[in-house]
Amino acid sequence: MQRSHGEGLLTVKALAGRTRIDRLRQAGNAKIRVPKTHGDALEAVLINTAGGITGGDTLDWTLAAGPGTRTVVTTQACERVYKSSEGVGVQTSTVRVGTEASLFWLPQETILFDRGRFRRTIDVTLDEGARFVGLETLLLGREAMGETVSTGVFHDRWRIRRGDALIHADDLRLDISPDRDFACPAALGGNRAVATLVAVLPDDAETLDLAVARARTLIGDGAGGASRIGEASKGKIVIRLAAPSGFALRQRLLPVLALFLDGQTLPKVWHL
């Protein structure tokens, strides 16, 4: 069977007060576009020209933000994980953020279709004073199309290091089958859209605590929560949200996400 394999690499540098491309390489079905913007940040749009991922496909992204740069990374469209006849689709993302640099990892939603099998890994290394905000969102089928996911596998693996120190390790695995009740409160609670936001910020404790308090106010009584973990400047903020649909999740997510963008505007593809 035909399988798609893509590799994309982007490194950026600071030049004349703005963030510019240093190196760009793309192969296979992985493409990177850098649209013109009016701010000082560079916006990179990742594209999978295969139109989705199925068993046996691989997609590798490598991003390096040089010292003092500001970079926003998003995707052209939602990533689709189609049913797999054999094997697992794999996506790996390796990110390096230099001294006093900021990188905002904001891909659009991943949609898992029935019988889809997908493993996703993001590995981030931060230098001193670096700022990283990462978001990953999962939808179980498309509600508007009447789709349901009765069988599938999803494995999401995060590793974030500040220098040599591991500061965030998170593994989420969903083994979906008809005999498992994902509607129970201990699982998805009847929701079909979930998001994880991790912010590693070189800010003082008071600023971080204020951001968490504002996030909790925005989340309200809905499914979700926000926590600050670790010491200031070495810690992180982790937010999880769940909603019955992708649209409902975006409505709740966008104002929370805006708290952590350090004045950066969202890419246009993220606007409702």
Side-chain angles (χ1 to χ4, degrees):
M1 296 183 180
Q2 289 185 331
R3 292 293 180 251
S4 67
H5 302 284
E7 295 181 22
L9 176 146
L10 174 67
T11 68
V12 300
K13 61 184 178 181
L15 183 65
R18 299 194 63 180
T19 301
R20 305 288 190 182
I21 296 173
D22 186 23
R23 294 177 58 207
L24 191 153
R25 179 171 59 83
Q26 48 196 14
N29 54 289
K31 307 299 180 187
I32 302 174
R33 297 293 180 264
V34 180
K36 184 178 295 186
T37 60
H38 299 289
D40 59 351
L42 180 142
E43 183 176 311
V45 181
L46 310 182
I47 304 171
N48 176 9
T49 59
I53 295 177
T54 187
D57 293 348
T58 61
L59 191 57
D60 298 315
W61 303 109
T62 301
L63 303 164
T69 58
R70 289 177 64 87
T71 310
V72 182
V73 182
T74 188
T75 54
Q76 183 188 42
C78 297
E79 188 62 86
R80 292 165 171 79
V81 181
Y82 296 112
K83 69 177 182 180
S84 173
S85 57
E86 60 179 27
V88 178
V90 178
Q91 176 179 307
T92 59
S93 303
T94 304
V95 179
R96 180 68 182 255
V97 188
T99 304
E100 304 297 329
S102 299
L103 189 139
F104 304 93
W105 175 263
L106 307 174
Q108 294 193 71
E109 296 88 344
T110 293
I111 305 174
L112 182 70
F113 289 88
D114 193 36
R115 296 173 56 191
R117 300 174 63 85
F118 187 49
R119 183 171 71 249
R120 180 174 62 198
T121 299
I122 179 168
D123 200 318
V124 182
T125 301
L126 307 175
D127 290 345
E128 189 67 29
R131 178 182 300 267
F132 173 78
V133 177
L135 172 70
E136 291 287 4
T137 306
L138 174 67
L139 307 181
L140 298 181
R142 296 173 297 183
E143 182 186 30
M145 303 298 290
E147 297 165 349
T148 58
V149 179
S150 59
T151 303
V153 175
F154 177 79
H155 184 193
D156 201 23
R157 182 181 188 272
W158 295 60
R159 294 293 185 272
I160 303 177
R161 295 171 177 83
R162 174 78 76 179
D164 295 328
L166 180 66
I167 61 173
H168 183 72
D170 188 12
D171 279 74
L172 168 67
R173 183 179 175 94
L174 300 178
D175 289 303
I176 305 170
S177 62
D179 60 343
R180 293 181 176 176
D181 181 17
F182 276 88
C184 70
L188 298 182
N191 295 296
R192 61 189 297 157
V194 293
T196 297
L197 173 67
V198 180
V200 183
L201 313 173
D203 296 331
D204 58 71
E206 183 178 357
T207 300
L208 297 178
D209 288 339
L210 181 59
V212 170
R214 288 174 174 172
R216 289 173 176 170
T217 299
L218 291 170
I219 293 170
D221 296 330
S227 299
R228 178 168 75 86
I229 305 169
E231 300 176 1
S233 77
K234 296 182 180 179
K236 64 194 177 187
I237 295 173
V238 179
I239 297 174
R240 302 192 194 274
L241 293 173
S245 70
F247 182 77
L249 183 64
R250 275 208 183 194
Q251 284 184 309
R252 298 182 59 209
L253 177 62
L254 291 182
V256 174
L257 182 58
L259 296 174
F260 302 95
L261 294 184
D262 193 32
Q264 181 65 45
T265 58
L266 276 169
K268 289 184 178 180
V269 295
W270 265 99
H271 290 225
L272 288 171

